[in-house]
Amino acid sequence: DVISCLDENELKWNACSAGDVAALIADDKVVGVINGRYEFGPRALGFRSILADPRPAENWPRINRTVKFRDDFRPFAPAMLVEDAAAFWGDGAAPVESPYMLLAPVMNDSAAENLGATIHADRTCRLQTVDAAFNPSLHGVLTAFKALTGIGALLNTSLNVSGESIIADVEDLLAMLAFSGLDAIAVDNAILVEKRGNET
């Protein structure tokens, strides 16, 4: 169905893998992703998400201004490999799992240095820890991004613009790709559409 939609709209697309998505993000591209069924709840957990490189602090205002169209102060969260969380968690005595992005622990010096787009002024962040069983697609991109950059984390925010609901399907996502600062969209780490080459 996705391929039919793309072909009907005369859009160029490529087959892709988690590694291809990670490579785009490592190249400082912002990618909208749809993985599996529509998610329901107060947080973006990687099934309908905008993913970006968490390292450059300037990605915080950049994505607020050009993709989300909201105030600069609005924060972003990191999604990180659960096995890497201890490397960024500030309190060694605290738990190091937060699969539903409901905790906002103080992070350590390494997090402040490496996750600049997702760490608040007080060193807290509302992180999500990801394992392969809960979200294999996001886990695959995180693993590939770590292989490329040494950092097993990504900026993760809900797949929508300010005042609008979460993107539900590919047609809505294509519209968002056209009018926002998204550089590419990926569906189930299988189909990739880049803005470059599809300008009309």
Side-chain angles (χ1 to χ4, degrees):
D1 289 344
V2 173
I3 292 170
S4 294
C5 175
L6 297 174
D7 289 345
E8 285 170 9
N9 286 282
E10 299 182 350
L11 292 168
K12 299 173 185 174
W13 60 273
N14 293 298
C16 73
S17 65
D20 296 322
V21 176
L24 280 173
I25 297 169
D27 193 34
D28 209 24
K29 300 295 190 291
V30 182
V31 183
V33 298
I34 287 179
N35 287 315
R37 297 168 67 185
Y38 186 75
E39 63 182 86
F40 178 83
R43 303 286 181 256
L45 301 177
F47 301 97
R48 297 291 187 282
S49 284
I50 296 165
L51 302 177
D53 192 333
R55 297 171 297 170
E58 56 269 23
N59 275 350
W60 183 329
R62 169 193 172 198
I63 294 168
N64 270 328
R65 291 174 189 171
T66 68
V67 181
K68 299 285 283 188
F69 304 111
R70 65 184 193 179
D71 297 319
D72 278 353
F73 68 84
R74 299 283 297 274
F76 295 110
M80 64 181 63
L81 295 168
V82 66
E83 56 267 31
D84 287 11
F88 298 118
W89 210 284
D91 181 0
V96 289
E97 289 190 30
S98 179
Y100 298 104
M101 207 187 285
L102 297 175
L103 302 179
V106 175
M107 307 303 279
N108 62 21
D109 291 345
S110 180
E113 292 169 8
N114 293 294
L115 306 176
T118 64
I119 302 295
H120 304 173
D122 63 359
R123 289 271 184 103
T124 62
C125 73
R126 193 188 66 212
L127 81 164
Q128 174 197 6
T129 54
V130 180
D131 64 41
F134 180 72
N135 189 331
S137 293
L138 181 57
H139 189 272
V141 176
L142 283 162
T143 301
F145 187 78
K146 182 179 179 181
L148 292 169
T149 67
I151 303 296
L154 294 168
L155 182 154
N156 174 25
T157 187
S158 56
L159 186 58
N160 69 324
V161 298
S162 181
E164 299 291 335
S165 62
I166 305 297
I167 295 292
D169 57 36
V170 173
E171 288 186 354
D172 291 336
L173 184 54
L174 289 172
M176 186 175 177
L177 176 67
F179 73 75
S180 78
L182 286 178
D183 296 297
I185 60 173
V187 181
D188 293 325
N189 288 346
I191 297 169
L192 179 71
V193 180
E194 295 186 65
K195 181 175 286 181
R196 195 170 114 184
N198 275 308
E199 299 94 340
T200 55

